[in-house]
Amino acid sequence: MDSGKRRIGRFFADEVAAPLGLDFHFGLPHDADRDRIARIHGFRPWEMMLRLRAMPASFVRAYANPRSLTARAFGNPRVLGTVENFNRPDVQAAEIPAANGVGQVRSIAKLYGEVATGGTALGLTAATMEALRGAAPPPTNGLFDEVLRVETRFSLGYVKPFPAFRFGSASNRAFGTMGLGGSFAFADPDTGTGFAYAMNRTGFRLWDDPREVALREALFARVLGERPQRPRPGLRTFWLLTREACARIPRPSSSDVGGESGRG
């Protein structure tokens, strides 16, 4: 809790953006120079049906069902259900940290770079950093993501490397966040690197957009000498087939199993 009861946009501006000199906002100020803001070119939801080799069918099916958790999450608020609406001034002025941060991509990389090297400028403690770098604890009900409809690895709100999505160094201590349309940013503590990629034209992959992964591969595998950033040949196909099969397996109800409900 913030003792000053600041809104999330104000808190980020005061405690994160200002100390690091970031040009990034949650809630674009009304006096911002709109000529500097890139326009997002999105896709229509029906176009996902034509991109099933890039986007998991399990996710597309769930997104098409307005009663599903997937559709409700991505359409909350409803205006965000259409990608082009992210260009609206009223949407950019709203403070929705999970969806509509506006700013320079280099500022995102700078923020993750600060955290990758210890976060001292932000007052992060050694215990916090160790928690961020640590392996993701296994969720109570397994690795199947009820929103993305595939297996994922998350810890403390950040995605962690896993076989179908390997990023950063081989220790798997990296952590970050993928975004709509192919954007991705993360911190790699082993190399002290902050990486960020964002695009104007949205793609169809949940992660490993070809444009993004080409840059990440060049930096980590060729410049830094770390592991390849793409999954091993054949692994993606196996992973897709496996998760599609798992998605069709009926999940037990809470009356059939013991233990806690929800994700760990």
Side-chain angles (χ1 to χ4, degrees), residues 17 27 56 100 103 106 116 120 140 166 172 205 214 220 237 240 253 260:
N100 74 332
R106 69 184 62 182
T120 55
T140 304
R166 58 182 184 183
N172 290 331
R205 293 186 182 275
F220 278 86
T237 300
L240 286 169
S253 65
E260 299 177 358

Side-chain angles (χ1 to χ4, degrees), residues 42-66:
F43 54 80
R44 300 294 182 182
W46 62 265
E47 292 183 83
M48 293 190 293
M49 299 296 297
L50 306 177
R51 300 293 193 277
L52 294 181
R53 292 180 62 86
M55 189 169 285
S58 53
F59 173 82
V60 175
R61 285 195 300 266
Y63 190 91
N65 177 7

Side-chain angles (χ1 to χ4, degrees), residues 24-28 86 91-92 94-103 108:
F24 197 85
H25 310 271
F26 293 124
L28 190 66
F86 283 97
V91 172
Q92 294 173 349
E95 298 178 18
I96 313 175
N100 74 332
V102 180
I108 306 174

Side-chain angles (χ1 to χ4, degrees), residues 109 112-117 186-195 219-220 224:
Y112 274 108
E114 167 62 27
V115 179
T117 54
F186 68 96
D188 184 62
D190 286 0
T191 61
T193 302
F195 175 93
L219 174 60
F220 278 86
L224 298 178

Side-chain angles (χ1 to χ4, degrees), residues 127-208:
T128 296
M129 290 305 308
E130 188 57 35
L132 290 169
R133 293 188 293 254
T140 304
N141 286 346
L143 298 170
F144 187 79
D145 192 304
E146 297 290 353
V147 173
L148 298 180
R149 308 303 297 173
V150 294
E151 287 193 355
T152 58
R153 305 286 195 281
F154 280 88
S155 181
L156 300 178
Y158 293 99
V159 68
K160 299 287 291 183
F162 55 95
F165 185 24
R166 58 182 184 183
F167 58 90
S169 56
S171 70
N172 290 331
R173 301 205 304 166
F175 54 92
T177 303
M178 64 274 203
L180 173 69
S183 57
F184 181 46
F186 68 96
D188 184 62
D190 286 0
T191 61
T193 302
F195 175 93
Y197 171 85
M199 67 293 122
N200 292 40
R201 185 171 298 280
T202 56
F204 291 89
R205 293 186 182 275
L206 296 182
W207 57 74
D208 278 348

